[in-house]
């Protein structure tokens, strides 16, 4: 495919800009409400005298209920459309933020985090699909990537608010102000999405038997769900949720650690910004594979720094550099890529079920990692924990290379035909590798599976 043709993207219409901006505000809320705990957990633990186990509950309960929210939201999204699901998510965001700000103790704090989790689960499933279905194929990857950019902007904003709160407010007001502030953008999103035109939706239909009986649908689900699991088991949210704690592990003081956590969020955002024009220029696979390999290598650097002794200044700066470069590399592909691919690979008739399953896997894996990270560091040591995450990344890069076909530039309908054709070829005794270009572009589509 001619690169110049790829770059000749259609102009953005006013309604498409408005739809994208108000929709991806949910990404900002997702990032803010999951990222604010990275610094606020230090304040919460001090103010409410929480144990490490209670801190893990506060952090991970949002992820658990995000998984549950995404699991049950497929049929409503299929029947009622993406827009109502996004609006309900905005209500959960606003209600959860207000509950946390007023929480008198651990129990109400957890309730607020549960409400946020439901909002995150609903929005993370509906928003990428909502944007992908409205976007022309030539700019679909770029627009869906804005969702991930706004996630990181939300995480960076959360870290910035935490830094301000630490300097300007008392112990109790610090975390209440930083965690309650998300109610304002949630209400803005609710008003903005409500003003968007209604969608055309179809009836709910049973799809599980069709998925079981269709090899190409099983392959589609395997690729989509596998990418979501890999994104989380590569360790990104251990850093985003426990950024301040990790910086303390690396030998930095508490106040320095909160500030460094903000800088780390900026690193991932920088990677995503750099990747925005590349999703159509290079394609999905050419970003995902190098991003995953580079991320895993950076985690090995962090593991080596801990193994050599973090008390040495050179090693704790090496660990900081490894974490920073990890997030930069992650942002270049593995941050947006799974969401881009999952927003486009499911056929319309199974899209609600497909995205519900994908988001559930993402959040379930996220929950496992976030609920066990501190315990794993205590049980196995920091070096072994980060080395294990690096191993997952290397294995994942090989799997992506072997399993993911290039969907860049294809319409949503043509993507199903691509998977169907590959399954037919495989069942006929021929195995084919995913290509770095869409199949209509010629001989690259005929390379054998490595």
């Amino acid at each position: 495919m001619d690169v110049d043709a790829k770059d000749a993207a259609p102009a953005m219409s006013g309604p498409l800009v408005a739809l994208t901006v108000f929709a991806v505000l949910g990404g900002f809320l997702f990032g803010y409400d999951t990222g604010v705990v990275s610094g606020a957990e230090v304040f919460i633990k001090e103010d409410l005298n929480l144990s490490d186990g209670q801190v893990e509950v506060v952090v991970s309960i949002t992820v658990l209920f995000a998984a549950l929210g995404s699991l049950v939201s497929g049929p409503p999204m299929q029947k009622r459309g993406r827009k109502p699901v996004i609006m309900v998510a905005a209500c959960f965001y606003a209600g959860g933020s207000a509950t946390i700000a007023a929480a008198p103790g651990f129990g109400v704090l957890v309730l607020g985090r549960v409400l946020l989790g439901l909002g995150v689960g609903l929005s993370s499933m509906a928003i990428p699909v909502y944007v992908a279905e409205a976007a022309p194929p030539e700019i679909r990857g770029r627009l869906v990537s804005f969702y991930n950019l706004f996630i990181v902007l939300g995480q960076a904003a959360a870290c910035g608010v935490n830094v301000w709160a630490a300097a300007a407010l008392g112990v109790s007001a610090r975390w209440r102000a930083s965690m309650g502030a998300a109610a304002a953008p949630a209400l803005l999103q609710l008003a903005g999405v409500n003003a968007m035109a209604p969608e055309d939706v179809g009836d709910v239909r049973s799809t599980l038997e069709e998925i079981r009986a269709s090899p190409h649908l099983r392959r589609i689900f395997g690729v989509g769900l596998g990418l979501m699991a890999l994104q989380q088991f590569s360790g990104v949210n251990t850093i985003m949720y426990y950024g301040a704690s990790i910086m303390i592990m690396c030998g930095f003081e508490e106040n320095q650690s909160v500030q460094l956590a903000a800088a780390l969020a900026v690193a991932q955002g920088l990677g995503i910004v750099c990747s925005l024009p590349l999703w159509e220029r290079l394609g999905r696979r050419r970003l995902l594979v190098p991003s995953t390999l580079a991320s895993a290598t950076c985690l090995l650097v962090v593991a080596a720094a801990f193994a050599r002794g973090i008390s040495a200044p050179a090693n704790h700066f090496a660990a900081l550099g490894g974490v920073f470069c990890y997030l930069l590399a992650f942002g270049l592909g593995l941050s947006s890529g799974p969401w881009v691919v999952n927003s486009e690979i499911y056929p319309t008739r199974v899209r609600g079920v497909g995205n519900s399953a994908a988001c559930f896997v993402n959040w379930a894996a996220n929950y496992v990692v976030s609920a066990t990270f501190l315990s794993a560091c205590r049980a196995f040591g920091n070096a072994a924990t980060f080395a294990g995450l690096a191993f997952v990344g290397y294995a994942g890069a090989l799997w992506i290379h072997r399993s993911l076909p290039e969907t860049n530039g294809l319409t949503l309908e043509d993507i199903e035909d691509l998977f169907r054709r590959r399954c037919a070829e495989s069942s006929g005794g021929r195995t084919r590798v995913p290509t770095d270009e869409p199949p209509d572009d010629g001989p690259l589509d005929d390379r054998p599976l490595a």
Side-chain angles (χ1 to χ4, degrees):
M1 181 179 288
D2 182 35
V3 171
D4 292 335
K6 285 184 183 180
D7 290 339
M12 291 277 289
S13 65
L16 181 58
V17 171
L19 181 148
T20 302
V21 169
F22 284 117
V24 300
L25 267 178
F28 181 90
L29 290 163
F30 172 171
Y32 189 96
D33 286 319
T34 56
V36 70
V37 74
S38 174
E41 51 106 353
V42 177
F43 311 142
I44 295 170
K45 185 175 182 180
E46 179 183 356
D47 184 33
L48 300 182
N49 195 27
L50 302 184
S51 66
D52 282 347
Q54 289 175 311
V55 170
E56 285 186 329
V57 171
V58 170
V59 172
S60 62
I61 197 71
T62 296
V63 179
L64 175 62
F65 276 83
L68 295 177
S70 65
L71 182 64
V72 302
S73 56
M77 190 175 86
Q78 193 80 20
K79 182 177 181 179
R80 303 294 182 186
R82 294 40 161 155
K83 174 182 168 179
V85 173
I86 295 170
M87 293 174 65
V88 171
C91 292
F92 278 126
Y93 278 128
S97 299
T99 300
I100 290 172
F106 175 70
V108 179
L109 174 62
V110 170
L111 173 62
R113 295 287 291 171
V114 166
L115 295 176
L116 291 181
L118 294 172
V120 169
L122 293 173
S123 66
S124 64
M125 186 190 75
I127 291 171
V129 178
Y130 189 51
V131 174
E133 290 178 338
E138 298 85 353
I139 57 174
R140 187 175 60 233
R142 195 175 309 177
L143 292 188
V144 174
S145 294
F146 273 104
Y147 173 65
N148 289 82
L149 176 60
F150 270 64
I151 291 174
V152 177
L153 289 176
Q155 291 169 335
C159 293
V161 171
N162 279 333
V163 171
W164 167 80
L169 301 177
V171 173
S172 181
R174 290 172 183 174
W175 62 269
R176 296 180 188 277
S178 61
M179 300 185 79
L187 295 174
L188 175 62
Q189 185 194 35
L190 179 63
V193 173
N194 184 55
M196 296 294 103
E199 305 163 83
D200 294 326
V201 295
D203 295 331
V204 177
R205 54 174 298 182
S206 175
T207 60
L208 295 180
E209 288 187 5
E210 181 187 1
I211 293 168
R212 294 190 191 102
S214 302
H216 77 282
L217 289 180
R218 293 200 303 271
R219 180 172 293 190
I220 287 172
F221 273 70
V223 169
L225 273 57
L227 283 172
M228 288 301 204
L230 173 61
Q231 183 194 61
Q232 294 304 319
F233 285 124
S234 69
V236 62
N237 282 319
T238 62
I239 295 171
M240 299 314 300
Y241 296 166
Y242 297 107
S245 296
I246 291 173
M247 292 299 98
I248 291 172
M249 293 177 190
C250 292
F252 295 96
E253 298 295 329
E254 180 177 299
N255 288 338
Q256 288 178 310
S257 297
V258 174
Q259 294 168 0
L260 288 170
L264 294 177
V266 172
Q268 187 181 351
L270 179 60
I272 293 175
V273 169
C274 292
S275 75
L276 288 176
L278 302 179
W279 288 108
E280 275 68 48
R281 181 183 292 272
L282 298 179
R284 287 41 165 164
R285 294 178 71 243
R286 284 180 176 170
L287 284 179
L288 278 166
V289 173
S291 169
T292 308
L293 286 173
S295 299
T297 301
C298 292
L299 289 177
L300 274 186
V301 172
V302 177
F306 279 114
R308 294 174 61 186
I310 205 64
S311 58
N315 289 335
H316 70 238
F317 281 108
L320 173 62
V323 171
F324 186 92
C325 292
Y326 165 80
L327 289 172
L328 180 64
F330 186 90
L332 283 169
L334 198 51
S335 178
S336 300
W339 297 102
V340 171
V341 173
N342 273 276
S343 73
E344 65 189 7
I345 61 173
Y346 301 107
T348 302
R349 64 189 182 280
V350 299
R351 190 163 295 146
V353 173
N355 281 279
S356 176
C359 287
F360 172 75
V361 168
N362 185 279
W363 288 110
N366 191 332
Y367 174 75
V368 170
V369 172
S370 63
T372 60
F373 174 70
L374 294 180
S375 300
C377 288
R378 287 194 300 268
F380 305 109
N382 298 337
T385 300
F386 281 99
L389 295 173
F391 174 78
V392 171
Y394 285 122
L398 177 62
W399 173 78
I400 292 172
H401 175 71
R402 294 176 61 87
S403 302
L404 177 65
E406 183 55 67
T407 56
N408 180 27
L410 298 178
T411 66
L412 298 177
E413 294 75 17
D414 289 342
I415 291 171
E416 182 181 9
D417 292 336
L418 170 63
F419 277 93
R420 182 184 287 113
R421 182 169 60 252
R422 292 184 182 283
C423 285
E425 291 167 349
S426 297
S427 64
R430 298 171 57 196
T431 12
R432 304 276 292 275
V433 71
T435 71
D436 287 324
E437 296 289 338
D440 292 336
D441 285 350
L444 283 177
D445 191 43
D446 296 324
R447 292 185 298 181
L449 183 61

